[in-house]
Amino acid sequence: MFPFKMNLRKEPLDDYIFRYEPKELDTGKQTLQDMSLIQAQYQDFLITKTGYLVALIEGSGVNLDLLNELEQEDVFDEFNAFLMSTIGEGDTGEVQQYLDMTTPVAFDEYVLYWKKRYLKVKEEQPINQAKVTLIASYVDYYQNLQLTNQMSTKKHLIVIRQKIKDKKHTSLELAATNLHEKVTQFIKTLENSLENYDMEARQLSSMECRKTLKHLINFSTINASKREGNVCILERNAPKKNVTNHRSTK
């Protein structure tokens, strides 16, 4: 249920305060919605039950294998300086989360292209069965790769958040405006800090956020994340990033 509404009936203000506190999971006896911190989506953001608006940013990463040792140290120094400038000094309450995820390669557009090509050749060159069969084999091959997730790629995500004052719709709109500005500034600062390494970043759309969440709750992905030491997205008490130990590779 979407938690934000207009106070038309003049309910007590106490009803608009976020009071949810995460509890220890009772695996197997709770629904996915009960276990999740996510309440709903708003625009391209996620709303948590604890009263935060969350944005997901994807970075292209830097391929350290193409850099010498001195250049690698420069990347780490520049990225550490970026982290210090965005997290800030002292207890600012700013929390950022960095996730390196192994995700299946998206073949949707590629498969669609070959399907269209197959139909076109079959209509315009019906006699050329060899070509039709060859293109059909391409469709079958890449479609099987997509269905079996045999090819994967690294995805680098940055999670930032904005506190929502209360459950009033005006508070949600204000938080969305503030988070949008924060995301824009964050991306600009990140790209400027690593402009010598062709770093690109962008905010994930609402559809991409849903796909990311579906991937994270996949059983095999959860096990893989545990082995790799990754943390769960939107962790309530996520620690501030130790900038001296963070190294992101493509």
Side-chain angles (χ1 to χ4, degrees), residues 11-247:
E11 291 95 338
L13 293 180
D14 189 64
D15 293 344
Y16 289 84
I17 298 176
F18 288 96
R19 297 188 180 280
Y20 179 85
E21 294 185 4
K23 301 177 181 178
E24 184 177 352
L25 298 181
D26 190 2
T27 307
K29 297 182 180 180
Q30 292 177 306
T31 65
L32 183 61
Q33 183 61 36
D34 292 334
M35 294 186 291
S36 175
L37 283 179
I38 300 172
Q39 177 70 41
Q41 273 193 299
Y42 180 72
Q43 298 178 4
D44 290 331
F45 306 116
L46 300 172
I47 303 172
T48 70
K49 298 175 183 177
T50 51
Y52 286 95
L53 203 59
V54 177
L56 304 183
I57 300 173
E58 180 179 1
S60 58
V62 177
N63 193 338
L64 297 180
D65 294 335
L66 301 179
L67 306 178
N68 59 42
E69 185 175 345
L70 181 60
E71 290 173 328
Q72 291 181 14
E73 291 300 325
D74 288 340
V75 172
F76 300 144
D77 290 341
E78 292 176 11
F79 188 66
N80 287 341
F82 159 76
L83 289 178
M84 294 299 296
S85 65
T86 54
I87 293 179
E89 299 180 357
D91 187 13
T92 61
E94 181 66 30
V95 174
Q96 299 171 6
Q97 191 172 2
Y98 295 79
L99 298 172
D100 286 333
M101 299 170 49
T102 300
T103 60
V105 175
F107 283 101
D108 301 84
E109 294 185 2
Y110 202 60
V111 171
L112 181 60
Y113 165 80
W114 282 111
K115 284 183 177 180
K116 291 181 178 179
R117 183 76 184 277
Y118 169 80
L119 294 175
K120 182 177 181 181
V121 172
K122 189 175 182 180
E123 179 181 356
E124 296 179 355
Q125 306 176 38
I127 302 178
N128 194 346
Q129 285 299 315
K131 188 174 183 179
V132 172
T133 303
L134 179 62
I135 297 177
S137 69
Y138 291 162
V139 174
D140 181 68
Y141 175 73
Y142 290 111
Q143 195 163 265
N144 284 333
L145 286 180
Q146 182 182 32
L147 294 175
T148 56
N149 296 331
Q150 294 183 28
M151 295 183 66
S152 60
T153 184
K154 272 286 187 180
K155 179 177 289 189
H156 310 283
L157 296 180
I158 306 166
V159 185
I160 61 177
R161 68 183 188 179
Q162 177 71 35
K163 182 63 178 177
I164 307 172
K165 182 180 179 180
D166 51 45
K167 295 183 180 180
K168 295 179 183 179
H169 193 268
T170 53
S171 299
L172 175 63
E173 292 179 329
L174 178 60
T177 299
N178 292 337
L179 185 54
H180 178 73
E181 293 176 355
K182 183 186 293 187
V183 168
T184 301
Q185 183 60 42
F186 188 95
I187 292 176
K188 181 179 179 181
T189 304
L190 176 60
E191 292 181 337
N192 289 341
S193 299
L194 300 174
E195 61 180 349
N196 294 329
Y197 308 99
D198 298 325
M199 163 63 74
E200 295 181 355
R202 66 181 184 85
Q203 181 184 354
L204 297 189
S205 66
S206 58
M207 179 62 71
E208 290 172 319
C209 287
R210 287 197 291 271
K211 288 183 178 180
T212 300
L213 293 175
K214 287 180 180 179
H215 179 71
L216 284 172
I217 64 178
N218 179 273
F219 178 80
S220 60
T221 303
I222 292 177
N223 287 340
S225 297
K226 289 180 179 178
R227 291 193 298 269
E228 296 171 3
N230 289 340
V231 293
C232 182
I233 194 172
L234 303 180
E235 183 180 0
R236 181 172 180 265
N237 295 318
K240 293 181 179 179
K241 192 66 183 179
N242 185 341
V243 297
T244 59
N245 295 331
H246 182 79
R247 295 191 173 194

